Amino acid sequence: MKRLLPLYTLLSVILLTAFSMQRVYSQPLLIENFEYEVGEIPVTPASIWNVANSGNAIQIVDGSLSYTNYALSGIGRSIIMKDGLDYNTSIGTNTTGSVYAAFLLKVSATTTAGDYFFHLTQSGTTFRGRLWIKQGSAADKYLIGIAKSGTTPAVQFSSSEYTVGSTNLVVLKYIFNSASTTDDEVCIYIDPVVGEMEPATPTVVAADNATTDATQITLVALRQGGSNAPTITLDGLRVAGSWNDAVNAIISADLTPPVFATGFPKPANVDATQADLQVSMDEAGKAYYIVVPDGATAPTVAEVVAGTDYGTVTLNGHGTIEVAAGGGTYSATITGLTDKTNYDIYVVAEDDETTPNRQAETSLVNLYTIRPPDVLLNADFETSGSLLPFTQVSVTGDQVWVQSTYNSVGFARISGYSGAAIDNEDWLISPAVNVSSAESVILNFFTAKDFDGGTFKVMISSNFSGTYSSTDIAAATWSDITSNFSFSADNFEWVSSGDYSLSSYTNNIYIAFVYTSTTAGAATWEVDDVKITGYLLPGSDASLVDLSVDGTTVASFDPGTLAYEMVLEASVTAPPAVMGITADPSAFISIGNATDLAGDAAARTTKVTVTAADGITTQTYSILFNPIIAVSDLAALRAISADAYGRIYQVTGEVIVSGINDAQRHQKYIQDASAGIMIDDAPGTITTTYSVGDGITGLTGTLTEYNKLLEFVPYRDPGTATSTGNTLTPQVVTITEFNTNQENYESELVKITGVKFADANGTVVLQEKKNYNISLGTDVAILRTIFLGTDLNGKVVPYMADVTGIATVFGSDAQLTPRNYADLLVYSSDASLSDLKVSGTTVTGFAAGTLTYNVSLAAGTTTVPTVTATATEANATVEVTPATSLTVTPLQAQQL
């Protein structure tokens, strides 16, 4: 029997239903979840925000703030604010009733003075309802305050403190009143209960003042202050004309299934027996998938979700992929597949609603399994100073192929330009590659180029002898295959060559990159990531799956990379033990160990030769050991020959920092009793902070030369200074000595006295990175301002000075580089006195501008008094010529 509800129960249900229906409110004035790309908040037209001034941009960050039952909780991204740009956005024209602005707030840091960060705006310059934050009773506490307009009377702050790092719901309310022109009210509510009525009492009410009421509220503004500004995260901004629309509003139920991002779902990391399935969609949820034979009857959505065999179709695999958030890429690995086989993968996605919304149609992904090709040759040119496994051969000219690095990426590089375009012909030739050992053999590479002149060709030979000389190059038959590739055109833009099939070749082949230049022009060419790949035939695999030194796998080991370089500490004297593991257990390994770590490159190289099971195919891996070379001092370091600059050296003695130019490639100047050198540290390898006068021991790195200046490139951070406060006394030299013996003083602290500045006129000022002529008599030298960000910049060029600085060079020009203004001892034209005394007492009425004085002496005085004088300018000289007699008539005065 159906029971009847009492009348009052029925009324309760009806009233509750009515209340629930009322929670779908009218359209708010603004909803902002900051659903933009991570980075600087975009401005119109890319977003709703306008920029109001200049400075640091507000940052969009991943993640959102959450607050119980708040409609915009946990949606989209959020923003971080501190100091910099201010932003505003329109909320229409509001002149009556109230304006509510609700948002989620998390304070990370603040100050005792505090600053305002949010307000409503009548116009571009009339602010109303400014919200403030300042530190509370401790650093982890803060107060929230409000002012109707400015700061008079004082901002009213909350009586309760809030905790740094917590999330708070803040609601700003502006009430339009009409009794007078100054009776509008402003208040804030902090952490109200969402879903309940507006509290009868606000948390903080702005003090009443005489400020004229807003005639209208049209904008909401985000304000970043200065040094006192708080660091905050803000999210979930909702502006409306009522409490319910701003605070209690609920988001309509999600009835839409997720949508896959363009290009998804898709296969990735395809191998012979497995592959990854990747999905990306616009909201969190789950993706179901099944794998079936190619051409099988398509499943229904329900059959994909079920993940079981259907009809006559037997699944090859099935599963689900959990999608934690929209926009990301998520994947599952499908295993147990067959090599070189086509499969169909059907995918269906649903969201994470309580009642999930599921896609109505399946998505089809085609998969063909095939193992990645084997690498027969790989040259990435990442080893400093090494072109291995390629070999450079110069036919004409002094310019050659070299290993180079830019932005930490290595490549092979050649330019026939050295002050002028020069005739050159240079070959960069690969080792022998047995293309008969594999099928579907492909060659590809990358090039970058700039400037014009000369030629760049790709050549191939099947009968090159393997002896890398111009004679053997000329004796071989080379085919020009250049037209089969794409190349860089200009501006060092890296371009892929595309794939070129080597299927028409057999047995061993050699690939050569051939560069020419003439006096008419010399382009610069760069080559990188040269690869020959294919599918090795059974028994022809001569690759390694591991290459180890003293039991540890070589860093960045790759089966297709044949040449490696390893740095050893200076204390290592015996060649390390090298082992390899073949990919084919039937292959054979032969190891030729390095013989002498103190010898040349050949003596320091261990070679691992792998012979495939076919007994024909071979591949040789090499490890060049480079022990760090110990040198006692900087003179020994400077004595290293140019052909050995690429080795790593360690200065065992202590060196002293004489100059720091951190803004210029983190450069530092160091010296010891024997010599000096400049450290060029563009990547910032040295992370320890040093000061002038600090001592460094164990400095380790390589050498290079730039426009005849020898530079030291650090290999690692030497660590804490071994001494501090050392004083360096500059060597005093003449201009002639400085110019003619530049090498003797290079990168050392020197001093030239009494020089005149050619540019001095009383108004010209020193500028950074500029040359100034200084002279002494007829001798002229160059002073260059290379130290950046110092107090030299903007100082008036002196007429005459003693100049201390670092001796450097650019090309053929010796240059003196002062480190700061204190390195200039400027000569003054002040010849005045600051004091004049007779017998130890200052002359009555002494003044610097008065040159003549009468001094009365006691009757009977016969001894000439002692006269002393003090120059106003400390570096001026004073000469006193004493009176010869006190009885001469007329009275003979002392002269200065």
Side-chain angles (χ1 to χ4, degrees):
M1 176 184 293
K2 182 183 296 184
R3 293 193 302 168
L4 296 177
L5 290 173
L7 180 59
Y8 70 87
T9 304
L10 183 61
L11 285 173
S12 297
V13 172
I14 294 173
L15 290 174
L16 185 57
T17 303
F19 178 75
S20 299
M21 292 177 62
Q22 289 175 358
R23 293 191 66 198
V24 181
Y25 304 113
S26 59
Q27 185 69 27
L29 303 175
L30 172 68
I31 296 177
E32 176 60 288
N33 291 314
F34 302 106
E35 297 180 285
Y36 309 110
E37 294 295 326
V38 171
E40 295 184 359
I41 186 171
V43 296
T44 54
S47 76
I48 63 173
W49 296 97
N50 300 285
V51 175
N53 56 353
S54 61
N56 298 319
I58 288 177
Q59 296 295 309
I60 302 288
V61 295
D62 261 332
S64 56
L65 300 180
S66 298
Y67 188 88
T68 303
N69 295 330
Y70 184 55
L72 304 187
S73 174
I75 298 176
R77 293 189 167 99
S78 54
I79 59 173
I80 289 182
M81 298 167 54
K82 169 59 177 168
D83 60 318
L85 288 167
D86 298 340
Y87 297 78
N88 62 59
T89 186
S90 173
I91 57 172
T93 302
N94 301 273
T95 58
T96 60
S98 299
V99 174
Y100 294 82
F103 56 85
L104 299 179
L105 172 71
K106 182 173 75 172
V107 176
S108 301
T110 186
T111 63
T112 54
D115 206 342
Y116 70 97
F117 68 97
F118 185 93
H119 60 81
L120 304 173
T121 305
Q122 175 177 311
S123 62
T125 57
T126 304
F127 304 158
R128 295 292 182 267
R130 298 194 207 198
L131 296 185
W132 291 65
I133 288 175
K134 73 174 182 179
Q135 183 176 309
S137 60
D140 65 341
K141 301 295 181 182
Y142 69 94
L143 304 173
I144 303 178
I146 186 169
K148 181 178 180 182
S149 178
T151 57
T152 305
V155 179
Q156 301 297 303
F157 284 95
S158 58
S159 57
S160 297
E161 294 186 322
Y162 300 92
T163 302
V164 168
S166 63
T167 297
N168 303 100
L169 174 60
V170 179
V171 185
L172 167 65
K173 179 181 182 182
Y174 188 96
I175 306 171
F176 290 97
N177 293 319
S178 57
S180 72
T181 59
T182 60
D183 64 348
D184 286 357
E185 300 172 61
V186 185
C187 61
I188 51 175
Y189 303 85
I190 303 173
D191 293 343
V193 177
V194 177
E196 296 186 358
M197 302 298 291
E198 178 178 346
T201 304
T203 307
V204 187
V205 178
D208 190 17
N209 58 43
T211 302
T212 302
D213 295 338
T215 57
Q216 58 184 12
I217 296 295
T218 60
L219 303 172
V220 167
L222 306 173
R223 192 258 184 177
Q224 297 192 106
S227 59
N228 289 319
T231 301
I232 66 171
T233 302
L234 193 145
D235 191 15
L237 174 59
R238 189 178 181 97
V239 183
S242 71
W243 177 268
N244 282 336
D245 288 339
V247 180
N248 289 337
I250 61 173
I251 299 175
S252 300
D254 180 1
L255 303 176
T256 304
V259 177
F260 285 122
T262 302
F264 291 90
K266 65 180 181 181
N269 304 317
V270 179
D271 207 334
T273 59
Q274 67 180 42
D276 290 344
L277 174 65
Q278 294 183 339
V279 298
S280 178
M281 53 199 205
D282 61 349
E283 59 178 313
K286 178 187 298 184
Y288 300 86
Y289 68 88
I290 62 171
V291 185
V292 299
D294 181 48
T297 303
T300 64
V301 169
E303 288 168 337
V304 172
V305 173
T308 58
D309 298 342
Y310 60 94
T312 60
V313 178
T314 300
L315 303 189
N316 297 108
H318 68 93
T320 59
I321 302 173
E322 297 294 333
V323 177
T329 299
Y330 302 85
S331 65
T333 300
I334 303 170
T335 60
L337 305 177
T338 303
D339 188 22
K340 297 184 177 64
T341 304
N342 285 302
Y343 294 92
D344 290 338
I345 304 175
Y346 289 92
V347 188
V348 173
E350 67 180 22
D351 60 23
D352 61 354
E353 296 296 317
T354 304
T355 302
N357 299 293
R358 184 176 294 161
Q359 292 175 336
E361 297 180 358
T362 62
S363 295
L364 172 63
V365 177
N366 292 307
L367 171 66
Y368 178 70
T369 55
I370 184 169
R371 67 181 175 88
D374 300 297
V375 179
L376 281 65
L377 173 72
N378 178 39
D380 58 12
F381 306 109
E382 292 299 330
T383 300
S384 176
S386 174
L387 292 169
L388 290 175
F390 277 74
T391 301
Q392 141 75 28
V393 179
S394 178
V395 177
T396 303
D398 294 331
Q399 286 65 51
V400 297
W401 285 97
V402 296
Q403 188 275 344
S404 188
T405 302
Y406 181 76
N407 282 345
S408 300
V409 175
F411 46 84
R413 180 181 185 274
I414 189 167
S415 173
Y417 187 90
S418 181
I422 299 171
D423 289 328
N424 280 278
E425 179 182 340
D426 289 271
W427 291 59
L428 185 65
I429 310 175
S430 74
V433 179
N434 182 7
V435 294
S436 294
S437 66
E439 59 185 6
S440 302
V441 181
I442 297 294
L443 166 67
N444 55 51
F445 53 88
F446 284 81
T447 59
K449 177 240 184 190
D450 202 3
F451 312 113
D452 296 315
T455 62
F456 181 85
K457 296 181 180 180
V458 185
M459 311 288 277
I460 189 170
S461 176
S462 296
N463 66 353
F464 177 57
S465 67
T467 299
Y468 296 89
S469 68
S470 56
T471 300
D472 284 64
I473 289 174
T477 301
W478 294 90
S479 299
D480 187 344
I481 56 175
T482 309
S483 62
N484 296 285
F485 303 100
S486 299
F487 297 94
S488 176
D490 208 357
N491 297 323
F492 291 118
E493 178 184 4
W494 286 104
V495 172
S496 173
S497 66
D499 293 340
Y500 174 64
S501 172
L502 298 174
S503 59
S504 62
Y505 299 89
T506 58
N507 299 320
N508 286 340
I509 57 97
Y510 294 84
I511 301 297
F513 299 102
V514 185
Y515 171 88
T516 65
S517 62
T518 68
T519 54
T524 298
W525 281 90
E526 297 170 349
V527 176
D528 199 8
D529 293 333
V530 184
K531 283 191 176 182
I532 297 179
T533 59
Y535 295 92
L536 289 168
L537 299 173
S540 62
D541 190 347
S543 65
L544 294 176
V545 293
D546 186 61
L547 180 63
S548 62
V549 175
D550 287 338
T552 301
T553 299
V554 173
S556 70
F557 169 74
D558 181 90
T561 301
L562 303 182
Y564 299 89
E565 182 175 2
M566 178 172 288
V567 175
L568 303 176
E569 292 300 321
S571 58
V572 178
T573 57
V578 176
M579 296 293 293
I581 299 176
T582 59
D584 182 353
S586 300
F588 175 75
I589 290 180
S590 174
I591 299 178
N593 289 305
T595 57
D596 184 5
L597 293 184
D600 60 13
R604 290 182 282 112
T605 299
T606 290
K607 293 185 176 181
V608 179
T609 301
V610 183
T611 302
D614 61 12
I616 299 173
T617 307
T618 63
Q619 195 157 244
T620 299
Y621 296 81
S622 66
I623 304 176
L624 172 61
F625 294 111
N626 284 327
I628 295 172
I629 300 173
V631 295
S632 58
D633 55 28
L634 294 182
L637 185 66
R638 295 190 66 89
I640 302 298
S641 60
D643 60 356
Y645 282 175
R647 294 294 300 275
I648 300 177
Y649 300 91
Q650 184 175 85
V651 183
T652 57
E654 186 180 56
V655 298
I656 308 301
V657 179
S658 59
I660 297 176
N661 192 15
D662 197 59
Q664 179 67 25
R665 299 169 61 88
H666 307 296
Q667 290 174 351
K668 299 171 181 65
Y669 293 85
I670 56 172
Q671 65 183 74
D672 57 17
S674 68
I677 200 167
M678 188 265 277
I679 298 174
D680 185 69
D681 186 19
T685 301
I686 295 178
T687 56
T688 300
T689 299
Y690 297 110
S691 301
V692 171
D694 283 351
I696 302 174
T697 302
L699 190 66
T700 306
T702 61
L703 294 169
T704 187
E705 188 174 82
Y706 177 75
N707 277 302
K708 295 189 176 180
L709 176 68
L710 186 62
E711 299 178 343
F712 186 84
V713 181
Y715 170 69
R716 59 192 176 200
D717 180 33
T720 305
T722 49
S723 65
T724 59
N726 296 289
T727 300
L728 292 171
T729 303
Q731 302 173 73
V732 180
V733 299
T734 66
I735 287 181
T736 299
E737 291 171 332
F738 181 73
N739 286 337
T740 58
N741 299 303
Q742 178 275 328
E743 183 75 18
N744 293 340
Y745 305 113
E746 185 176 300
S747 297
E748 297 180 51
L749 198 62
V750 300
K751 181 178 182 179
I752 304 178
T753 61
V755 299
K756 294 182 179 179
F757 286 73
D759 295 284
N761 64 4
T763 59
V764 173
V765 297
L766 295 168
Q767 300 177 31
E768 293 178 342
K769 293 189 175 182
K770 187 173 180 180
N771 290 354
Y772 297 88
N773 284 343
I774 55 176
S775 63
L776 185 58
T778 58
D779 296 330
V780 179
I782 296 173
L783 180 148
R784 181 165 177 81
T785 49
I786 63 173
F787 282 83
L788 308 182
T790 75
D791 57 355
L792 272 171
N793 195 38
K795 288 291 195 301
V796 174
V797 176
Y799 288 92
M800 190 173 182
D802 295 344
V803 180
T804 299
I806 304 293
T808 185
V809 65
F810 186 83
S812 60
D813 295 330
Q815 297 178 339
L816 182 60
T817 60
R819 300 160 297 176
N820 47 47
Y821 192 66
D823 275 348
L824 303 184
L825 182 58
V826 177
Y827 286 21
S828 172
S829 60
D830 189 349
S832 66
L833 296 178
S834 62
D835 194 17
L836 178 63
K837 294 181 178 179
V838 175
S839 298
T841 302
T842 300
V843 173
T844 302
F846 170 76
T850 302
L851 304 182
T852 303
Y853 300 90
N854 290 320
V855 178
S856 298
L857 302 177
T861 302
T862 59
T863 302
V864 176
T866 300
V867 176
T868 57
T870 302
T872 303
E873 168 58 47
N875 294 303
T877 56
V878 176
E879 182 179 355
V880 178
T881 304
T884 57
S885 174
L886 297 182
T887 60
V888 176
T889 302
L891 183 66
Q892 182 178 15
Q894 296 192 43
Q895 297 180 343
L896 300 179

